Amino acid sequence: MPSVLLSLVTWNSADSVEACLRSALAQTYTDFELWVVDNASRDDTCARVEALAATDARLRLHRLAENTGFCGGHNYSLDRTRSDYVLLVNPDVEMQPDYLANAVAAMQRDEQIGTVCGLLVQSQEADPYIDSAGMNALPDGRFGLRLHRQRLSQAAPEPGYVDGADGALPLFRRRFIDDLRVEGHFFDPRFFAHKEDWDVAWRGRLYGWRTWFEPSCRALHPRQFLPANLRLRNHLASAIKTDAVKNQWLLLIKNTTVAQAPRLLLRAIPRQLAILCYSLLFERSSLPAYRYVWQNWQQVRASRQLIQARARRGWQPAGSAPTSPAPAPTTPHYATLVPH
């Protein structure tokens, strides 16, 4: 069994997937297999993947009959493999050839490192803007991209521990994946897409895991989705905006500890009330997010109880406690608000 699984989820990704796959297959660290899980694309994504798969046995295409989102697609891969490490790969990234080798080496620094993230830049120019250098936890229950839109020469990012990893290209330790499972799932399928990396980062911190930022791991990622940008937000599909609202509430309900609650909610609730008012006045298409949280309150509360109980046990070194086993593979079927 290869030591690393590269998991790539596609959905109508024909315009970028070939460049992404070629950069993945060109990695100097070669002990990996690459799974492309396609979420029922309507373009020629699968044809492009199959053409490359015919040239490299490490690449395998898995077609899903419906769109299960970022979360469902990656859960499909995680539930069916047992590699030591998993690198999540967005279809719009292009890795430098030593990205994976440097990430695996960084993971060996400390058994408490569950995630390694690299330096993502927005262009190939000599002094590009940084897309992300990991994430910072904000005091209102959100996460922000570290050094986003700063020039590389000015920021000069150094390796070190950060609060979390952006979901575009993180390397996860398998024991971290299994420890973070809730009701069998690593990614909460209720998120579908967006802010699931915040959820993983928050839960990992609660459990005592750490995230290492390694700038020698470098990749191109011309990010487009930033829901807080109102000018861009007006051009986004309503389902994306609904997920962004819904998922923030899921984050707060599941992950806020009793100790965190007074200070965190004092900052979070005013912002969330402002978002509700904005939705009522200008973005009524996002209102189903609140109905979803209300209708699924009992299930979300049950997830919270499991997360908080695990968090109270703190850091669990290897061999000290069993991790949650992966569920038996099944055909995925995850409910979402509207199809993406």
Side-chain angles (χ1 to χ4, degrees):
M1 177 184 297
S3 62
V4 183
L5 169 72
L6 275 60
S7 176
L8 193 156
V9 174
T10 54
W11 182 70
N12 296 334
S13 308
D15 60 342
S16 62
V17 71
E18 287 179 284
C20 175
L21 290 174
R22 291 186 191 281
S23 75
L25 294 172
Q27 292 297 296
T28 58
Y29 188 101
T30 58
D31 186 24
F32 68 84
E33 60 181 343
L34 171 55
W35 281 28
V36 175
V37 179
D38 184 73
N39 269 320
S41 290
R42 299 187 184 96
D43 62 5
D44 63 344
T45 295
C46 290
R48 293 171 185 253
V49 174
E50 287 173 335
L52 282 174
T55 69
D56 196 314
R58 295 173 298 175
L59 173 56
R60 298 175 58 185
L61 173 64
H62 299 259
R63 296 173 181 252
L64 302 187
E66 61 181 312
N67 185 0
T68 64
F70 180 97
C71 297
H74 283 302
N75 281 344
Y76 178 96
S77 296
L78 299 178
D79 295 348
R80 290 163 173 78
T81 56
R82 298 305 307 163
S83 57
D84 295 332
Y85 307 108
V86 177
L87 181 71
L88 303 190
V89 184
N90 265 27
D92 58 349
V93 302
E94 294 180 41
M95 292 177 277
Q96 289 191 347
D98 59 355
Y99 188 102
L100 183 56
N102 291 338
V104 171
M107 188 72 81
Q108 310 308 317
R109 299 176 60 94
D110 181 355
E111 70 164 340
Q112 206 165 342
I113 295 175
T115 310
V116 172
C117 59
L119 175 65
L120 306 184
V121 297
Q122 294 189 327
S123 70
Q124 300 283 23
E125 60 187 304
D127 187 21
Y129 284 109
I130 293 173
D131 177 61
S132 73
M135 298 193 301
N136 288 323
L138 304 179
D140 62 356
R142 296 178 298 145
F143 283 76
L145 298 174
R146 289 182 69 244
L147 309 181
H148 179 68
R149 291 298 293 174
Q150 294 188 33
R151 286 289 186 183
L152 181 58
S153 61
Q154 296 174 341
E158 297 290 331
Y161 291 106
V162 296
D163 294 334
D166 175 64
L169 201 56
L171 180 72
F172 293 133
R173 191 187 298 270
R174 176 64 68 167
R175 197 165 69 83
F176 170 82
I177 291 170
D178 289 342
D179 190 25
L180 263 66
R181 290 182 182 274
V182 179
E183 298 175 298
H185 303 297
F186 177 68
F187 286 118
D188 186 337
R190 291 171 296 217
F191 277 60
F192 192 81
H194 316 306
K195 300 185 181 178
E196 70 293 318
D197 47 359
W198 297 10
D199 190 42
V200 166
W202 195 339
R203 194 157 71 249
R205 284 160 56 85
L206 288 178
Y207 295 4
W209 288 96
R210 307 185 77 180
T211 299
W212 181 265
F213 166 67
E214 180 51 61
S216 66
C217 301
R218 185 164 165 176
L220 173 68
H221 185 228
R223 184 183 304 269
Q224 297 179 2
F225 175 66
L226 286 171
N229 183 327
L230 293 182
R231 186 175 62 179
L232 172 62
R233 188 180 181 92
N234 290 332
H235 298 285
L236 294 174
S238 60
I240 295 176
K241 293 181 283 190
T242 302
D243 275 341
V245 175
K246 165 180 64 74
N247 293 351
Q248 184 63 54
W249 279 103
L250 297 182
L251 280 165
L252 292 170
I253 295 167
K254 293 194 308 173
N255 298 318
T256 304
T257 67
V258 173
Q260 291 174 329
R263 179 176 298 180
L264 189 150
L265 295 180
L266 187 64
R267 293 175 178 267
I269 295 302
R271 177 182 175 83
Q272 295 309 311
L273 289 176
I275 292 172
L276 173 59
C277 291
Y278 180 85
S279 298
L280 286 168
L281 294 173
F282 305 111
E283 194 179 278
R284 299 183 68 84
S285 62
S286 291
L287 292 178
Y290 300 97
R291 182 171 66 247
Y292 181 94
V293 173
W294 175 259
Q295 291 175 342
N296 292 274
W297 169 255
Q298 291 299 328
Q299 294 91 330
V300 178
R301 183 172 177 271
S303 297
R304 170 184 170 77
Q305 292 174 335
L306 293 171
I307 291 168
Q308 298 301 320
R310 168 63 188 88
R312 287 191 289 272
R313 299 202 302 271
W315 164 244
Q316 302 286 295
S320 63
T323 54
S324 302
T330 58
T331 301
H333 181 76
Y334 301 133
T336 186
L337 291 166
V338 290
H340 285 231

mmCIF file of all heavy atoms in Angstrom, residues 101-139:
data_model
loop_
_atom_site.group_PDB
_atom_site.id
_atom_site.type_symbol
_atom_site.label_atom_id
_atom_site.label_comp_id
_atom_site.label_asym_id
_atom_site.label_seq_id
_atom_site.Cartn_x
_atom_site.Cartn_y
_atom_site.Cartn_z
ATOM 1 N N ALA A 101 7.178 15.768 -0.944
ATOM 2 C CA ALA A 101 8.364 15.314 -0.209
ATOM 3 C C ALA A 101 8.626 16.213 1.004
ATOM 4 O O ALA A 101 8.905 15.725 2.112
ATOM 5 C CB ALA A 101 9.586 15.301 -1.127
ATOM 6 N N ASN A 102 8.508 17.515 0.823
ATOM 7 C CA ASN A 102 8.755 18.438 1.925
ATOM 8 C C ASN A 102 7.658 18.354 2.984
ATOM 9 O O ASN A 102 7.925 18.501 4.181
ATOM 10 C CB ASN A 102 8.863 19.870 1.395
ATOM 11 C CG ASN A 102 10.112 20.082 0.570
ATOM 12 O OD1 ASN A 102 11.093 19.345 0.691
ATOM 13 N ND2 ASN A 102 10.099 21.088 -0.291
ATOM 14 N N ALA A 103 6.432 18.107 2.552
ATOM 15 C CA ALA A 103 5.326 17.999 3.503
ATOM 16 C C ALA A 103 5.463 16.747 4.368
ATOM 17 O O ALA A 103 5.253 16.788 5.592
ATOM 18 C CB ALA A 103 3.997 17.995 2.763
ATOM 19 N N VAL A 104 5.818 15.619 3.751
ATOM 20 C CA VAL A 104 6.001 14.383 4.518
ATOM 21 C C VAL A 104 7.164 14.540 5.504
ATOM 22 O O VAL A 104 7.081 14.105 6.658
ATOM 23 C CB VAL A 104 6.229 13.191 3.569
ATOM 24 C CG1 VAL A 104 6.648 11.948 4.347
ATOM 25 C CG2 VAL A 104 4.970 12.910 2.757
ATOM 26 N N ALA A 105 8.247 15.177 5.067
ATOM 27 C CA ALA A 105 9.384 15.401 5.966
ATOM 28 C C ALA A 105 8.984 16.282 7.141
ATOM 29 O O ALA A 105 9.373 16.024 8.291
ATOM 30 C CB ALA A 105 10.539 16.032 5.188
ATOM 31 N N ALA A 106 8.194 17.318 6.888
ATOM 32 C CA ALA A 106 7.766 18.205 7.966
ATOM 33 C C ALA A 106 6.875 17.483 8.964
ATOM 34 O O ALA A 106 6.921 17.760 10.172
ATOM 35 C CB ALA A 106 7.041 19.416 7.382
ATOM 36 N N MET A 107 6.075 16.542 8.489
ATOM 37 C CA MET A 107 5.186 15.790 9.370
ATOM 38 C C MET A 107 5.958 14.990 10.412
ATOM 39 O O MET A 107 5.457 14.710 11.508
ATOM 40 C CB MET A 107 4.304 14.865 8.534
ATOM 41 C CG MET A 107 3.213 14.159 9.307
ATOM 42 S SD MET A 107 1.846 15.233 9.820
ATOM 43 C CE MET A 107 0.880 15.294 8.308
ATOM 44 N N GLN A 108 7.219 14.644 10.098
ATOM 45 C CA GLN A 108 8.013 13.820 11.004
ATOM 46 C C GLN A 108 8.598 14.603 12.175
ATOM 47 O O GLN A 108 9.217 14.016 13.070
ATOM 48 C CB GLN A 108 9.164 13.151 10.222
ATOM 49 C CG GLN A 108 8.753 12.440 8.953
ATOM 50 C CD GLN A 108 7.633 11.456 9.166
ATOM 51 O OE1 GLN A 108 7.631 10.700 10.138
ATOM 52 N NE2 GLN A 108 6.654 11.458 8.265
ATOM 53 N N ARG A 109 8.416 15.903 12.199
ATOM 54 C CA ARG A 109 8.990 16.718 13.262
ATOM 55 C C ARG A 109 8.437 16.365 14.637
ATOM 56 O O ARG A 109 9.140 16.437 15.640
ATOM 57 C CB ARG A 109 8.728 18.205 12.993
ATOM 58 C CG ARG A 109 9.312 18.765 11.715
ATOM 59 C CD ARG A 109 8.900 20.215 11.524
ATOM 60 N NE ARG A 109 9.365 21.033 12.619
ATOM 61 C CZ ARG A 109 10.512 21.714 12.624
ATOM 62 N NH1 ARG A 109 11.299 21.676 11.561
ATOM 63 N NH2 ARG A 109 10.865 22.432 13.670
ATOM 64 N N ASP A 110 7.146 15.985 14.690
ATOM 65 C CA ASP A 110 6.469 15.844 15.978
ATOM 66 C C ASP A 110 5.231 14.987 15.770
ATOM 67 O O ASP A 110 4.455 15.239 14.843
ATOM 68 C CB ASP A 110 6.091 17.236 16.496
ATOM 69 C CG ASP A 110 5.398 17.224 17.860
ATOM 70 O OD1 ASP A 110 5.107 16.138 18.387
ATOM 71 O OD2 ASP A 110 5.124 18.323 18.375
ATOM 72 N N GLU A 111 5.033 13.975 16.618
ATOM 73 C CA GLU A 111 3.865 13.114 16.457
ATOM 74 C C GLU A 111 2.557 13.853 16.731
ATOM 75 O O GLU A 111 1.475 13.380 16.379
ATOM 76 C CB GLU A 111 3.947 11.901 17.384
ATOM 77 C CG GLU A 111 3.779 12.208 18.866
ATOM 78 C CD GLU A 111 3.480 10.962 19.699
ATOM 79 O OE1 GLU A 111 3.040 9.945 19.122
ATOM 80 O OE2 GLU A 111 3.685 11.010 20.921
ATOM 81 N N GLN A 112 2.637 15.037 17.339
ATOM 82 C CA GLN A 112 1.435 15.805 17.616
ATOM 83 C C GLN A 112 0.999 16.634 16.409
ATOM 84 O O GLN A 112 -0.085 17.215 16.411
ATOM 85 C CB GLN A 112 1.655 16.718 18.821
ATOM 86 C CG GLN A 112 0.395 17.069 19.579
ATOM 87 C CD GLN A 112 0.676 17.660 20.956
ATOM 88 O OE1 GLN A 112 1.776 17.525 21.492
ATOM 89 N NE2 GLN A 112 -0.312 18.310 21.536
ATOM 90 N N ILE A 113 1.831 16.686 15.383
ATOM 91 C CA ILE A 113 1.438 17.363 14.145
ATOM 92 C C ILE A 113 0.459 16.464 13.389
ATOM 93 O O ILE A 113 0.799 15.360 12.978
ATOM 94 C CB ILE A 113 2.658 17.674 13.257
ATOM 95 C CG1 ILE A 113 3.587 18.680 13.954
ATOM 96 C CG2 ILE A 113 2.213 18.236 11.904
ATOM 97 C CD1 ILE A 113 4.877 18.943 13.196
ATOM 98 N N GLY A 114 -0.755 16.963 13.224
ATOM 99 C CA GLY A 114 -1.752 16.216 12.461
ATOM 100 C C GLY A 114 -1.881 16.703 11.040
ATOM 101 O O GLY A 114 -2.367 15.980 10.165
ATOM 102 N N THR A 115 -1.430 17.959 10.801
ATOM 103 C CA THR A 115 -1.615 18.593 9.502
ATOM 104 C C THR A 115 -0.374 19.392 9.137
ATOM 105 O O THR A 115 0.197 20.073 9.996
ATOM 106 C CB THR A 115 -2.813 19.563 9.520
ATOM 107 O OG1 THR A 115 -3.953 18.902 10.074
ATOM 108 C CG2 THR A 115 -3.136 20.061 8.126
ATOM 109 N N VAL A 116 0.030 19.304 7.883
ATOM 110 C CA VAL A 116 1.073 20.169 7.336
ATOM 111 C C VAL A 116 0.452 20.943 6.174
ATOM 112 O O VAL A 116 -0.193 20.350 5.306
ATOM 113 C CB VAL A 116 2.294 19.370 6.851
ATOM 114 C CG1 VAL A 116 3.273 20.289 6.107
ATOM 115 C CG2 VAL A 116 2.982 18.687 8.020
ATOM 116 N N CYS A 117 0.635 22.256 6.182
ATOM 117 C CA CYS A 117 0.149 23.069 5.078
ATOM 118 C C CYS A 117 1.305 23.845 4.471
ATOM 119 O O CYS A 117 2.294 24.138 5.153
ATOM 120 C CB CYS A 117 -0.957 24.021 5.522
ATOM 121 S SG CYS A 117 -0.500 25.175 6.827
ATOM 122 N N GLY A 118 1.167 24.159 3.194
ATOM 123 C CA GLY A 118 2.238 24.831 2.485
ATOM 124 C C GLY A 118 1.908 26.266 2.142
ATOM 125 O O GLY A 118 0.884 26.825 2.563
ATOM 126 N N LEU A 119 2.799 26.858 1.373
ATOM 127 C CA LEU A 119 2.668 28.232 0.920
ATOM 128 C C LEU A 119 1.948 28.227 -0.427
ATOM 129 O O LEU A 119 2.484 27.719 -1.416
ATOM 130 C CB LEU A 119 4.046 28.874 0.788
ATOM 131 C CG LEU A 119 4.103 30.279 0.202
ATOM 132 C CD1 LEU A 119 3.408 31.273 1.121
ATOM 133 C CD2 LEU A 119 5.549 30.698 -0.051
ATOM 134 N N LEU A 120 0.751 28.788 -0.462
ATOM 135 C CA LEU A 120 -0.010 28.883 -1.695
ATOM 136 C C LEU A 120 0.078 30.310 -2.224
ATOM 137 O O LEU A 120 -0.164 31.267 -1.477
ATOM 138 C CB LEU A 120 -1.471 28.504 -1.459
ATOM 139 C CG LEU A 120 -1.727 27.135 -0.808
ATOM 140 C CD1 LEU A 120 -3.225 26.849 -0.731
ATOM 141 C CD2 LEU A 120 -0.996 26.026 -1.532
ATOM 142 N N VAL A 121 0.441 30.446 -3.488
ATOM 143 C CA VAL A 121 0.584 31.766 -4.097
ATOM 144 C C VAL A 121 -0.413 31.898 -5.238
ATOM 145 O O VAL A 121 -0.871 30.907 -5.804
ATOM 146 C CB VAL A 121 2.023 32.012 -4.594
ATOM 147 C CG1 VAL A 121 3.007 31.992 -3.423
ATOM 148 C CG2 VAL A 121 2.429 30.976 -5.644
ATOM 149 N N GLN A 122 -0.720 33.151 -5.613
ATOM 150 C CA GLN A 122 -1.797 33.378 -6.559
ATOM 151 C C GLN A 122 -1.355 33.493 -8.015
ATOM 152 O O GLN A 122 -2.195 33.555 -8.909
ATOM 153 C CB GLN A 122 -2.569 34.642 -6.153
ATOM 154 C CG GLN A 122 -3.293 34.475 -4.817
ATOM 155 C CD GLN A 122 -4.216 35.621 -4.510
ATOM 156 O OE1 GLN A 122 -3.966 36.764 -4.877
ATOM 157 N NE2 GLN A 122 -5.308 35.334 -3.812
ATOM 158 N N SER A 123 -0.053 33.528 -8.258
ATOM 159 C CA SER A 123 0.423 33.622 -9.639
ATOM 160 C C SER A 123 1.841 33.077 -9.717
ATOM 161 O O SER A 123 2.475 32.793 -8.694
ATOM 162 C CB SER A 123 0.396 35.067 -10.129
ATOM 163 O OG SER A 123 1.397 35.835 -9.479
ATOM 164 N N GLN A 124 2.350 32.978 -10.933
ATOM 165 C CA GLN A 124 3.700 32.474 -11.169
ATOM 166 C C GLN A 124 4.723 33.599 -11.279
ATOM 167 O O GLN A 124 5.890 33.332 -11.592
ATOM 168 C CB GLN A 124 3.720 31.646 -12.467
ATOM 169 C CG GLN A 124 2.797 30.439 -12.464
ATOM 170 C CD GLN A 124 3.351 29.267 -11.671
ATOM 171 O OE1 GLN A 124 4.179 29.430 -10.785
ATOM 172 N NE2 GLN A 124 2.892 28.071 -12.013
ATOM 173 N N GLU A 125 4.329 34.830 -11.028
ATOM 174 C CA GLU A 125 5.269 35.941 -11.164
ATOM 175 C C GLU A 125 6.367 35.849 -10.115
ATOM 176 O O GLU A 125 6.278 35.091 -9.145
ATOM 177 C CB GLU A 125 4.533 37.274 -11.055
ATOM 178 C CG GLU A 125 3.811 37.501 -9.747
ATOM 179 C CD GLU A 125 2.972 38.767 -9.773
ATOM 180 O OE1 GLU A 125 3.535 39.842 -10.048
ATOM 181 O OE2 GLU A 125 1.748 38.678 -9.515
ATOM 182 N N ALA A 126 7.427 36.655 -10.305
ATOM 183 C CA ALA A 126 8.599 36.561 -9.436
ATOM 184 C C ALA A 126 8.281 36.891 -7.981
ATOM 185 O O ALA A 126 8.844 36.279 -7.057
ATOM 186 C CB ALA A 126 9.698 37.497 -9.955
ATOM 187 N N ASP A 127 7.429 37.866 -7.760
ATOM 188 C CA ASP A 127 7.041 38.246 -6.391
ATOM 189 C C ASP A 127 5.523 38.202 -6.293
ATOM 190 O O ASP A 127 4.856 39.230 -6.306
ATOM 191 C CB ASP A 127 7.577 39.642 -6.066
ATOM 192 C CG ASP A 127 7.357 40.020 -4.609
ATOM 193 O OD1 ASP A 127 7.168 39.099 -3.769
ATOM 194 O OD2 ASP A 127 7.358 41.230 -4.292
ATOM 195 N N PRO A 128 4.953 37.003 -6.157
ATOM 196 C CA PRO A 128 3.490 36.871 -6.231
ATOM 197 C C PRO A 128 2.804 37.311 -4.939
ATOM 198 O O PRO A 128 3.423 37.428 -3.879
ATOM 199 C CB PRO A 128 3.307 35.370 -6.440
ATOM 200 C CG PRO A 128 4.475 34.761 -5.719
ATOM 201 C CD PRO A 128 5.618 35.716 -5.955
ATOM 202 N N TYR A 129 1.509 37.524 -5.048
ATOM 203 C CA TYR A 129 0.687 37.669 -3.857
ATOM 204 C C TYR A 129 0.511 36.290 -3.215
ATOM 205 O O TYR A 129 0.349 35.282 -3.905
ATOM 206 C CB TYR A 129 -0.688 38.234 -4.200
ATOM 207 C CG TYR A 129 -0.692 39.712 -4.498
ATOM 208 C CD1 TYR A 129 -0.907 40.172 -5.798
ATOM 209 C CD2 TYR A 129 -0.508 40.647 -3.480
ATOM 210 C CE1 TYR A 129 -0.930 41.531 -6.076
ATOM 211 C CE2 TYR A 129 -0.512 42.011 -3.754
ATOM 212 C CZ TYR A 129 -0.725 42.441 -5.041
ATOM 213 O OH TYR A 129 -0.735 43.788 -5.320
ATOM 214 N N ILE A 130 0.520 36.269 -1.896
ATOM 215 C CA ILE A 130 0.265 35.031 -1.161
ATOM 216 C C ILE A 130 -1.235 34.773 -1.133
ATOM 217 O O ILE A 130 -2.027 35.682 -0.872
ATOM 218 C CB ILE A 130 0.820 35.126 0.270
ATOM 219 C CG1 ILE A 130 2.350 35.204 0.241
ATOM 220 C CG2 ILE A 130 0.365 33.930 1.110
ATOM 221 C CD1 ILE A 130 2.975 35.475 1.604
ATOM 222 N N ASP A 131 -1.616 33.552 -1.414
ATOM 223 C CA ASP A 131 -3.010 33.152 -1.252
ATOM 224 C C ASP A 131 -3.254 32.741 0.196
ATOM 225 O O ASP A 131 -4.176 33.219 0.831
ATOM 226 C CB ASP A 131 -3.348 31.999 -2.197
ATOM 227 C CG ASP A 131 -4.771 31.530 -1.998
ATOM 228 O OD1 ASP A 131 -5.691 32.337 -2.194
ATOM 229 O OD2 ASP A 131 -4.973 30.357 -1.618
ATOM 230 N N SER A 132 -2.419 31.841 0.714
ATOM 231 C CA SER A 132 -2.533 31.472 2.127
ATOM 232 C C SER A 132 -1.224 30.877 2.612
ATOM 233 O O SER A 132 -0.460 30.290 1.854
ATOM 234 C CB SER A 132 -3.684 30.488 2.362
ATOM 235 O OG SER A 132 -3.347 29.204 1.881
ATOM 236 N N ALA A 133 -1.001 31.063 3.897
ATOM 237 C CA ALA A 133 0.138 30.457 4.595
ATOM 238 C C ALA A 133 -0.403 29.811 5.865
ATOM 239 O O ALA A 133 0.050 30.083 6.976
ATOM 240 C CB ALA A 133 1.195 31.509 4.918
ATOM 241 N N GLY A 134 -1.418 28.967 5.694
ATOM 242 C CA GLY A 134 -2.159 28.434 6.827
ATOM 243 C C GLY A 134 -3.292 29.365 7.201
ATOM 244 O O GLY A 134 -3.645 30.287 6.452
ATOM 245 N N MET A 135 -3.873 29.139 8.368
ATOM 246 C CA MET A 135 -4.998 29.945 8.824
ATOM 247 C C MET A 135 -4.778 30.421 10.255
ATOM 248 O O MET A 135 -4.106 29.755 11.047
ATOM 249 C CB MET A 135 -6.310 29.156 8.762
ATOM 250 C CG MET A 135 -6.713 28.704 7.372
ATOM 251 S SD MET A 135 -8.440 28.095 7.266
ATOM 252 C CE MET A 135 -8.402 26.733 8.447
ATOM 253 N N ASN A 136 -5.383 31.556 10.581
ATOM 254 C CA ASN A 136 -5.422 32.090 11.937
ATOM 255 C C ASN A 136 -6.830 31.924 12.496
ATOM 256 O O ASN A 136 -7.814 32.190 11.798
ATOM 257 C CB ASN A 136 -5.077 33.590 11.955
ATOM 258 C CG ASN A 136 -3.606 33.844 11.683
ATOM 259 O OD1 ASN A 136 -2.745 33.096 12.125
ATOM 260 N ND2 ASN A 136 -3.321 34.920 10.968
ATOM 261 N N ALA A 137 -6.938 31.508 13.759
ATOM 262 C CA ALA A 137 -8.230 31.462 14.435
ATOM 263 C C ALA A 137 -8.591 32.873 14.887
ATOM 264 O O ALA A 137 -7.783 33.556 15.512
ATOM 265 C CB ALA A 137 -8.173 30.525 15.635
ATOM 266 N N LEU A 138 -9.816 33.308 14.554
ATOM 267 C CA LEU A 138 -10.293 34.631 14.925
ATOM 268 C C LEU A 138 -11.163 34.531 16.184
ATOM 269 O O LEU A 138 -11.736 33.473 16.479
ATOM 270 C CB LEU A 138 -11.075 35.248 13.770
ATOM 271 C CG LEU A 138 -10.309 35.337 12.433
ATOM 272 C CD1 LEU A 138 -11.190 35.950 11.350
ATOM 273 C CD2 LEU A 138 -9.023 36.122 12.592
ATOM 274 N N PRO A 139 -11.293 35.606 16.934
ATOM 275 C CA PRO A 139 -11.990 35.536 18.230
ATOM 276 C C PRO A 139 -13.494 35.366 18.142
ATOM 277 O O PRO A 139 -14.145 35.198 19.172
ATOM 278 C CB PRO A 139 -11.629 36.874 18.895
ATOM 279 C CG PRO A 139 -11.256 37.785 17.782
ATOM 280 C CD PRO A 139 -10.642 36.922 16.735
#
